[in-house]
C-alpha cells in the first residue's frame, strides 16, 4: 500500500512535465476506450433490433381447428416486403376475425378495414412520394411506436383490409417469436464483420493503449531505477509504476465511457448512412462496461510491468544509459506462420484450387490476419535495427549515419511513432478485400429487371392493367404442362404465351421469329430441356373467369429461335415453347399461370414499376428475381459498420501517432540540446529527426502493403467470389502509404526547436 501511495505522490509532485504526461496517458486511454466501446456496442445494437423484429412476428396457436384457413374466427395476416430503392418496405395486411387479439408492439390497437398505421419514416415518404400511397391504401390512423420498429428509418405499415381481399393469408392469434425470422445481419455475415473489426480496430487499439501506457518510458525507468537503488524492492518498484499507469488508464476508461455515452446519443439521432438505431440500443451492458473498465487498466498494468522490469532487475544499467540488447528474434514467430497461411491460400487461388472447406477457412483466415498484424508490430524493431546497422556502415552522410546509429541503439523508440500508422495501412488493405467481396454480391449486372406475379385469383382485366404499367417493356405468361403425378419423373414442358415483340422487350438478344407461329427457344449458354423434343405433345389445362375448363394440346414445334441471356433472370429457358396469344381460346388462360413483366434495371424505373403495380393491386405478391432487397439492406448495414470501423481505425492510428510523437519530442529534447551545444546546425538536426522516423516507418509500410495485399487476396480466395487479385486497389494503398510517410516526416520537424535550454542536460 505504501508503494501505491508513493506512486501517486510521485505522480502529483514531479513537475509540470510529468503531469502533462499523465494527462496524455489519461486522454489517450479515454479515446481508446471510447473506440473500444463503439465496437463492442455493435452486437448489442443488432441484437436489440432483431429482438423487436421477433416480438412483432405473428403466429397461430390452438391447433388445426383454430389455425386452419377456413376458420373465420382467427384474424388473417399477409406480409409483403418490396424494394423501395435499396431499402425494404414491409406491409402487413390485417383482416379481423370474430375473435379479438392483442395488438403487436408499437400499436395500441389493430387497424380496421380501411385504416393504416405507418412508421414515422414511411409517413414522411408518403408526403414526398404521392404515388407510394397506392401501396398503402386507406386512411392513416396513427404512427407505429418505437417498440414495433427495428430502427427509426424502417419503412413499415399495418394495413386493415376485408377478409375477402386477402389471398394466401395466414391465421394469427398472437405476436412474438423467440427469434427473428429475418435478422438485421445474418450470422455468417456478422462473422465477416467481427473478423474485419478485429483487424481494423481491436488490433491497432491494443497497440495504441500500450503506447499510452509507455509514455516517457525512459524518464520513468530512470526514476524507478533510482528508487530501486535506494532500497525499494523489485515488487515495490512494480507497484510504484502500476500506481501511475493504472490510475491514468482507469481515469481514461471512465472518461472514455462518458464520451461514448454522449457520442451514442448524438450519432443515433443523426444516423449513419443506411444504419440507424435508437439511443437505448447503443447503451452498454454491464459486462461490456466492466470489460472496458477492467481491460484497459489491466493492459496498462501489463505494458507498464514489462517496461519497469529492467529498472527493477538492473537499475545501474538504466541510470548509466547502458546500451540496450538487440531485439530478440522470437518477434518473428507470429509473422512467419501468419504469412505461411496467407501464402498457401494465394497459391491455391493462383493454381485454380480455391478451398471449398469454409469451416476450416473461417478459423484459419482470422488467425492468419491476427498473426500477421501482431507479427508486424513485433518484427518491426528487428528489421529496423538490421537495416539501420547496414545503412550506418555504408553511408557517408553525417545526418543519415547519426539517425541510423540512434535507431540501431534504440530500435523501438521511433517505431512507437510508426506502429499505429503501419497497422492503419495494413487494415486498409483488409477492408478493401471485404468491400470487393460485398460488391460482388450486391452488384446488379443485368440490363433488365423482371417481376413475377401469380395469376391465381386475378381477373383478366387486372392482368391487362398489370401489363400496361408504365415502364414495362415486355410481358408474357408462363405455364406448365399437365403431368401424371403418379410417375416419378413425369415429362413436362414450359410454355410462354407472348408475341415476338413482347419477347424482344423481355430478352434484348432475340433471334428472328415469325409472328403468329409457335417456336422453341434455345440458349447456347445453358442446357436444353430434354423433355422438349420436336413432335412431342403435352396437354395444358385452361380456365376462364366463369370457371369453365378446356384442354389445349401443344405439339413441340421444329422451328427454333436462338436467344442469349447470361443473367438468367428472364422468363425464358432453353427448350421453352413460345405460344402466340392468338392460340388460346377467347377468354381462357392456363391454370396456375405466372405473369412475368420486364423493365429496365435502373433503380428509379424499378421503383416506379413497383409503385404502379401496387396501384393496380396493393396485395399482389411481386417477386423480383435478382433483387433480394433484404440482402441489399444487410450489405448496406455491413458497409456502414466497416466504414465506421475504418474511421475508428483512422482515429486510433492518428491518435497513436500524435501521442507517441509528442512523447518522443519530450524524451529527445536533452539529446537534441546536447547536439545543438556541440555546434550541429538546426537543418542537420531536422534531417536527422526526419530520417530517424521515416526509414523505420518506410520499412514497416512496405511490410504492411505486401502482407496486407497478400492477406486481402487470401481472404478473397476463401470467400468464393470471382475476383482474387485486387489490382485496382494497389494505387490507393500506395497513395495512403506515401501520405503516411509525408505526415510522419512533417510531424518530426517540430522536435528541433529554435531555443536552446541547457537546463535540459544539466543533470547529464
Amino acid at each position: 500500500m505504501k508503494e501505491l501511495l508513493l506512486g501517486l505522490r510521485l505522480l502529483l509532485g514531479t513537475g509540470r512535465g510529468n503531469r502533462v504526461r499523465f494527462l496524455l496517458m489519461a486522454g489517450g486511454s479515454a479515446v481508446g476506450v471510447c473506440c473500444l466501446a463503439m465496437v463492442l456496442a455493435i452486437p448489442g445494437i443488432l441484437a436489440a433490433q432483431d429482438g423487436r423484429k421477433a416480438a412483432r412476428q405473428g403466429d397461430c396457436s390452438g391447433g388445426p381447428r383454430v389455425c386452419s384457413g377456413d376458420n373465420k374466427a382467427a384474424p388473417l395476416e399477409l406480409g409483403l416486403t418490396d424494394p423501395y430503392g435499396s431499402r425494404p418496405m414491409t406491409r402487413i395486411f390485417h383482416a379481423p376475425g370474430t375473435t379479438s387479439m392483442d395488438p403487436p408492439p408499437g400499436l395500441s390497437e389493430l387497424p380496421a378495414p380501411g385504416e393504416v398505421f405507418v412508421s414515422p419514416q414511411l409517413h414522411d415518404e408518403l408526403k414526398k412520394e404521392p404515388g407510394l400511397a397506392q401501396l398503402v391504401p386507406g386512411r392513416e390512423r396513427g404512427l407505429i411506436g418505437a417498440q414495433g420498429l427495428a430502427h427509426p428509418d424502417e419503412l413499415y405499415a399495418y394495413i386493415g383490409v376485408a377478409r375477402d381481399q386477402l389471398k394466401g393469408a395466414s391465421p394469427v392469434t398472437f405476436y412474438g417469436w423467440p427469434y427473428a425470422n429475418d435478422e438485421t445481419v445474418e450470422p455468417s455475415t456478422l462473422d465477416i464483420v467481427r473478423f474485419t473489426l478485429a483487424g481494423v480496430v481491436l488490433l491497432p487499439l491494443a497497440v495504441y493503449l500500450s503506447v499510452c501506457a509507455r509514455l516517457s518510458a525512459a524518464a520513468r525507468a530512470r526514476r524507478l531505477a533510482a528508487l530501486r537503488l535506494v532500497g525499494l524492492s523489485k515488487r515495490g518498484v512494480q507497484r510504484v509504476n502500476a500506481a501511475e499507469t493504472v490510475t491514468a488508464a482507469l481515469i481514461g476508461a471512465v472518461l472514455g465511457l462518458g464520451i461514448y455515452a454522449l457520442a451514442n446519443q448524438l450519432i443515433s439521432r443523426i444516423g449513419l448512412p443506411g444504419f440507424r438505431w435508437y439511443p437505448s440500443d447503443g447503451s452498454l451492458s454491464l459486462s461490456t462496461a466492466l470489460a472496458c473498465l477492467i481491460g484497459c487498466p489491466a493492459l496498462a498494468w501489463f505494458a507498464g510491468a514489462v517496461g519497469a522490469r529492467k529498472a527493477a532487475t538492473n537499475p545501474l544499467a538504466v541510470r548509466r544509459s547502458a546500451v540496450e540488447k538487440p531485439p530478440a528474434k522470437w518477434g518473428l514467430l507470429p509473422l512467419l506462420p501468419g504469412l505461411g497461411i496467407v501464402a498457401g491460400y494465394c497459391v491455391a487461388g493462383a493454381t485454380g484450387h480455391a478451398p471449398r472447406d469454409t469451416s476450416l477457412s473461417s478459423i484459419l483466415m482470422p488467425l492468419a490476419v491476427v498473426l500477421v498484424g501482431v507479427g508486424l508490430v513485433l518484427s518491426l524493431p528487428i528489421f529496423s535495427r538490421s537495416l539501420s546497422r547496414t545503412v550506418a556502415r555504408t553511408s557517408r552522410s553525417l545526418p543519415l549515419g547519426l539517425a541510423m546509429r540512434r535507431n540501431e541503439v534504440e530500435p523501438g523508440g521511433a517505431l512507437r511513432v510508426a506502429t499505429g500508422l503501419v497497422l492503419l495501412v495494413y487494415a486498409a488493405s483488409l477492408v478493401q478485400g471485404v468491400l470487393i467481396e460485398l460488391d460482388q454480391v450486391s452488384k446488379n449486372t443485368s440490363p433488365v429487371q423482371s417481376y413475377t406475379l401469380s395469376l391465381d385469383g386475378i381477373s383478366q382485366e387486372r392482368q391487362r392493367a398489370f401489363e400496361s404499367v408504365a415502364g414495362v417493356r415486355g410481358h408474357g405468361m408462363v405455364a406448365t404442362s399437365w403431368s401424371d403425378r403418379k410417375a416419378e419423373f413425369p415429362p413436362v414442358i414450359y410454355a410462354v404465351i407472348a408475341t415476338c415483340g413482347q419477347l424482344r422487350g423481355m430478352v434484348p438478344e432475340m433471334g428472328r421469329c415469325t409472328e403468329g407461329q409457335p417456336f422453341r427457344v434455345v440458349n447456347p449458354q445453358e442446357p436444353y430441356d430434354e423433355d422438349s423434343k420436336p413432335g412431342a405433345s403435352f396437354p395444358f389445362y385452361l380456365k376462364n373467369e366463369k370457371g369453365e375448363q378446356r384442354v389445349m394440346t401443344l405439339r413441340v414445334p421444329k422451328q427454333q429461335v436462338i436467344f442469349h441471356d447470361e443473367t438468367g433472370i428472364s422468363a425464358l429457358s432453353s427448350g421453352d415453347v413460345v405460344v402466340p396469344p392468338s392460340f388460346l381460346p377467347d377468354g381462357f388462360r392456363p391454370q396456375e399461370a405466372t405473369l412475368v413483366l420486364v423493365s429496365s434495371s435502373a433503380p428509379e424505373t424499378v421503383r416506379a414499376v413497383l409503385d404502379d403495380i401496387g396501384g393496380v393491386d396493393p396485395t399482389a405478391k411481386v417477386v423480383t428475381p435478382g433483387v433480394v432487397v433484404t440482402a441489399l439492406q444487410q450489405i448496406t448495414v455491413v458497409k456502414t459498420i466497416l466504414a465506421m470501423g475504418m474511421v475508428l481505425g483512422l482515429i486510433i492510428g492518428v491518435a497513436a501517432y500524435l501521442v507517441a510523437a509528442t512523447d518522443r519530442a519530450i524524451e529527445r529534447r536533452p539529446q537534441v540540446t546536447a547536439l545543438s551545444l556541440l555546434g550541429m546546425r538546426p537543418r542537420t538536426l531536422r534531417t536527422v529527426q526526419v530520417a530517424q522516423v521515416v526509414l523505420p516507418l518506410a520499412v514497416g509500410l512496405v511490410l504492411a502493403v505486401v502482407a496486407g495485399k497478400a492477406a486481402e487476396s487470401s481472404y478473397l480466395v476463401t470467400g468464393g467470389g470471382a475476383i482474387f487479385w485486387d489490382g485496382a486497389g494497389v494505387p490507393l494503398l500506395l497513395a495512403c502509404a506515401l501520405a503516411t510517410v509525408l505526415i510522419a516526416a512533417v510531424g518530426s520537424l517540430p522536435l528541433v526547436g529554435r531555443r536552446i535550454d541547457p537546463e535540459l542536460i544539466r543533470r547529464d
Side-chain angles (χ1 to χ4, degrees):
M1 189 65 183
K2 293 181 180 180
E3 291 87 354
L4 297 178
L5 294 176
L6 177 60
L8 295 177
R9 292 183 63 184
L10 290 174
L11 175 65
L12 299 176
T14 50
R16 185 181 62 180
N18 197 53
R19 288 192 290 270
V20 170
R21 179 181 54 79
F22 176 79
L23 293 177
L24 277 175
M25 292 173 63
S29 300
V31 174
V33 169
C34 179
C35 295
L36 177 62
M38 288 184 179
V39 174
L40 296 180
I42 291 175
I45 293 173
L46 299 178
Q49 294 183 356
D50 291 341
R52 288 192 294 271
K53 287 183 178 181
R56 71 189 181 193
Q57 290 181 188
D59 204 348
C60 186
S61 63
R65 184 178 62 84
V66 177
C67 298
S68 64
D70 298 332
N71 187 7
K72 296 184 179 180
L76 299 178
E77 278 196 356
L78 174 66
L80 299 177
T81 300
D82 301 310
Y84 183 76
S86 61
R87 293 184 294 167
M89 180 179 65
T90 303
R91 297 171 294 156
I92 305 298
F93 293 90
H94 179 86
T98 57
T99 60
S100 60
M101 60 179 295
D102 294 332
L107 294 184
S108 58
E109 58 180 325
L110 287 163
E115 295 179 347
V116 176
F117 287 92
V118 297
S119 63
Q121 186 64 32
L122 184 55
H123 173 78
D124 296 338
E125 294 294 333
L126 287 169
K127 291 182 178 179
K128 299 176 184 177
E129 300 289 342
L132 190 59
Q134 301 177 98
L135 297 177
V136 191
R139 178 177 59 87
E140 186 176 314
R141 178 70 184 277
L143 299 179
I144 304 173
Q147 299 84 359
L149 298 174
H151 52 85
D153 285 344
E154 190 173 23
L155 301 176
Y156 210 87
Y158 290 95
I159 305 170
V161 295
R163 294 180 70 90
D164 57 358
Q165 291 182 272
L166 285 183
K167 303 178 292 292
S170 302
V172 175
T173 58
F174 70 96
Y175 292 97
W177 277 20
Y179 57 89
N181 194 24
D182 53 336
E183 298 95 340
T184 304
V185 178
E186 292 182 354
S188 59
T189 310
L190 190 58
D191 291 339
I192 298 176
V193 175
R194 292 194 183 101
F195 155 72
T196 309
L197 291 181
V200 174
V201 180
L202 297 183
L203 184 60
L205 183 61
V207 175
Y208 169 64
L209 292 176
S210 300
V211 169
C212 292
R214 294 291 312 279
L215 292 180
S216 296
R220 289 164 61 192
R222 290 173 62 84
R223 189 173 64 216
L224 294 174
L227 293 175
R228 179 76 177 95
L229 290 173
V230 297
L232 197 62
S233 64
K234 293 182 179 180
R235 291 187 177 181
V237 171
Q238 295 283 5
R239 293 191 187 101
V240 170
N241 183 64
E244 187 174 4
T245 57
V246 172
T247 300
L250 185 60
I251 294 175
V254 174
L255 289 176
L257 293 179
I259 295 172
Y260 168 76
L262 296 176
N264 175 50
Q265 294 290 331
L266 178 63
I267 298 176
S268 62
R269 285 173 167 79
I270 297 176
L272 299 174
F275 185 41
R276 282 194 64 188
W277 63 91
Y278 293 104
S280 59
D281 297 345
S283 300
L284 296 179
S285 63
L286 179 61
S287 59
T288 303
L290 290 177
C292 296
L293 291 175
I294 297 175
C296 182
L299 181 61
W301 175 85
F302 177 77
V306 173
R309 184 179 303 166
K310 184 177 180 180
T313 57
N314 194 359
L316 283 176
V318 173
R319 292 298 299 177
R320 295 174 179 176
S321 301
V323 178
E324 295 185 5
K325 293 182 179 179
K329 301 296 183 181
W330 64 264
L332 297 173
L333 188 60
L335 184 63
L336 296 179
L339 288 178
I341 297 173
V342 167
Y345 279 125
C346 290
V347 172
T351 56
H353 297 85
R356 301 301 179 190
D357 188 356
T358 57
S359 59
L360 180 62
S361 299
S362 63
I363 298 175
L364 289 181
M365 268 311 302
L367 179 63
V369 169
V370 173
L371 287 176
V372 171
V374 174
L376 283 176
V377 176
L378 298 179
S379 61
L380 282 179
I382 302 173
F383 291 122
S384 176
R385 184 179 183 277
S386 300
L387 181 62
S388 299
R389 190 174 184 178
T390 302
V391 174
R393 287 177 177 177
T394 58
S395 175
R396 297 183 179 179
S397 171
L398 175 62
L400 186 59
L402 187 60
M404 294 303 100
R405 288 302 181 187
R406 166 56 63 178
N407 283 345
E408 180 185 355
V409 174
E410 189 186 1
L415 287 172
R416 278 189 297 160
V417 182
T419 301
L421 301 177
V422 169
L423 288 179
L424 181 61
V425 173
Y426 172 67
S429 184
L430 290 177
V431 174
Q432 277 186 349
V434 176
L435 292 178
I436 289 172
E437 184 181 16
L438 293 176
D439 185 63
Q440 293 183 74
V441 176
S442 60
K443 190 175 182 179
N444 184 11
T445 59
S446 173
V448 297
Q449 177 60 53
S450 61
Y451 314 82
T452 304
L453 301 90
S454 174
L455 292 177
D456 185 23
I458 294 179
S459 64
Q460 293 189 7
E461 180 181 359
R462 188 168 292 179
Q463 176 186 344
R464 287 190 290 270
F466 284 135
E467 295 171 351
S468 60
V469 163
V472 173
R473 66 188 195 185
H475 60 83
M477 284 188 295
V478 180
T480 307
S481 64
W482 179 86
S483 60
D484 185 5
R485 304 296 181 182
K486 297 180 181 179
E488 185 177 1
F489 299 104
V492 295
I493 64 168
Y494 295 90
V496 180
I497 294 90
T499 64
C500 289
Q502 293 167 353
L503 284 179
R504 284 192 170 84
M506 298 170 65
V507 183
E509 295 187 34
M510 189 77 186
R512 180 177 299 179
C513 63
T514 304
E515 289 286 359
Q517 296 294 328
F519 55 88
R520 293 176 296 121
V521 290
V522 177
N523 186 356
Q525 281 79 31
E526 66 181 24
Y528 185 83
D529 185 3
E530 295 293 338
D531 293 336
S532 183
K533 299 178 181 179
S537 298
F538 293 87
F540 284 82
Y541 277 82
L542 309 180
K543 187 178 181 180
N544 63 8
E545 294 183 354
K546 297 179 181 180
E548 300 174 349
Q549 294 185 349
R550 290 189 184 181
V551 177
M552 179 184 72
T553 301
L554 179 62
R555 187 180 298 274
V556 179
K558 294 182 179 180
Q559 181 185 2
Q560 68 176 24
V561 175
I562 304 297
F563 78 99
H564 297 275
D565 179 23
E566 297 180 357
T567 63
I569 65 172
S570 68
L572 295 181
S573 297
S574 190
D576 291 350
V577 177
V578 177
V579 181
S582 59
F583 270 49
L584 298 179
D586 189 24
F588 284 83
R589 69 185 181 194
Q591 291 185 6
E592 300 179 358
T594 301
L595 178 63
V596 178
L597 310 175
V598 176
S599 74
S600 167
S601 61
E604 59 276 5
T605 303
V606 175
R607 179 69 260 153
V609 170
L610 289 172
D611 288 344
D612 290 343
I613 291 176
V616 176
D617 185 359
T619 64
K621 188 173 183 179
V622 185
V623 179
T624 53
V627 178
V628 183
V629 67
T630 54
L632 293 179
Q633 177 73 6
Q634 286 191 34
I635 291 172
T636 301
V637 172
V638 171
K639 286 184 176 180
T640 300
I641 293 176
L642 292 181
M644 184 176 68
M646 276 302 298
V647 172
L648 294 178
L650 179 62
I651 293 173
I652 292 170
V654 173
Y657 170 74
L658 293 176
V659 170
T662 304
D663 176 58
R664 183 169 175 272
I666 297 174
E667 281 194 337
R668 292 286 296 143
R669 285 172 65 189
Q671 289 85 357
V672 172
T673 301
L675 292 174
S676 299
L677 290 176
L678 290 175
M680 189 168 291
R681 293 181 300 176
R683 179 181 299 177
T684 304
L685 287 175
R686 292 190 179 93
T687 304
V688 170
Q689 296 299 326
V690 171
Q692 189 176 341
V693 173
V694 167
L695 187 64
L697 177 60
V699 174
L701 290 178
V702 170
L703 290 174
V705 171
V706 174
K709 294 305 295 182
E712 175 194 357
S713 298
S714 62
Y715 173 78
L716 292 175
V717 169
T718 59
I723 298 177
F724 289 172
W725 321 111
D726 173 29
V730 174
L732 177 61
L733 202 62
L734 293 178
C736 293
L738 181 60
T740 302
V741 172
L742 294 177
I743 292 173
V746 173
S748 302
L749 296 178
L751 298 183
V752 181
R754 296 182 179 181
R755 187 173 63 88
I756 299 176
D757 186 6
E759 182 66 19
L760 294 172
I761 58 173
R762 178 178 62 84
R763 294 180 181 179
D764 292 337

